[in-house]
């Protein structure tokens, strides 16, 4: 998914789509998209059926193409690492 894809769907120029995201959500395009990806990752991590999957598999399923971007984004939006999040879920 790219900013161009969103702009095309909205039938606006890229900079207009970017401005809508920035002003409407207080985030740049990448943070906007990654916040949704992280929410999906959290959902998958909470699911017992995904407990055998490693974190990178879950990151890829949610649209991340890089382990470091996944880890950085996860920490940015949750305040903890994906590993710590998973440990916390299954320790309760």
């Amino acid at each position: 998914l790219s900013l161009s894809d969103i702009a095309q769907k909205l039938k606006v120029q890229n900079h207009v789509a970017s401005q809508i995201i920035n002003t409407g959500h207080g985030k740049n395009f990448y943070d906007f998209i990654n916040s949704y990806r992280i929410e999906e990752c959290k959902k998958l991590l909470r699911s017992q059926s995904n407990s055998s999957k490693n974190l990178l598999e879950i990151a890829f399923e949610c649209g991340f193409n890089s382990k470091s971007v996944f880890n950085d984004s996860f920490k940015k939006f949750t305040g903890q690492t994906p590993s710590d999040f998973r440990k916390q879920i299954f320790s309760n």
Side-chain angles (χ1 to χ4, degrees):
L1 183 63
S2 70
L3 182 59
S4 296
D5 294 333
I6 291 175
Q8 267 186 325
K9 296 281 185 201
L10 295 174
K11 295 180 171 58
V12 297
Q13 294 179 347
N14 287 4
H15 74 277
V16 174
S18 179
Q19 185 178 20
I20 291 168
I21 292 168
N22 289 342
T23 57
H25 297 278
K27 300 174 184 170
N28 67 38
F29 171 74
Y30 294 104
D31 283 347
F32 177 73
I33 296 300
N34 286 341
S35 67
Y36 281 99
R37 288 177 175 156
I38 293 300
E39 287 305 312
E40 183 63 18
C41 287
K42 287 168 47 180
K43 186 173 104 180
L44 294 177
L45 288 168
R46 285 186 188 106
S47 171
Q48 189 68 37
S49 63
N50 292 312
S51 62
S52 64
K53 291 182 180 177
N54 69 45
L55 293 171
L56 195 54
E57 286 176 288
I58 290 174
F60 288 154
E61 278 184 44
C62 295
F64 287 97
N65 295 321
S66 157
K67 183 178 179 180
S68 62
V69 172
F70 168 63
N71 286 331
D72 291 346
S73 294
F74 200 97
K75 180 111 183 188
K76 179 177 187 173
F77 292 109
T78 68
Q80 58 190 150
T81 66
S83 299
D84 289 342
F85 182 85
R86 180 177 252 178
K87 285 177 197 169
Q88 179 184 358
I89 295 298
F90 292 111
S91 68
N92 293 333

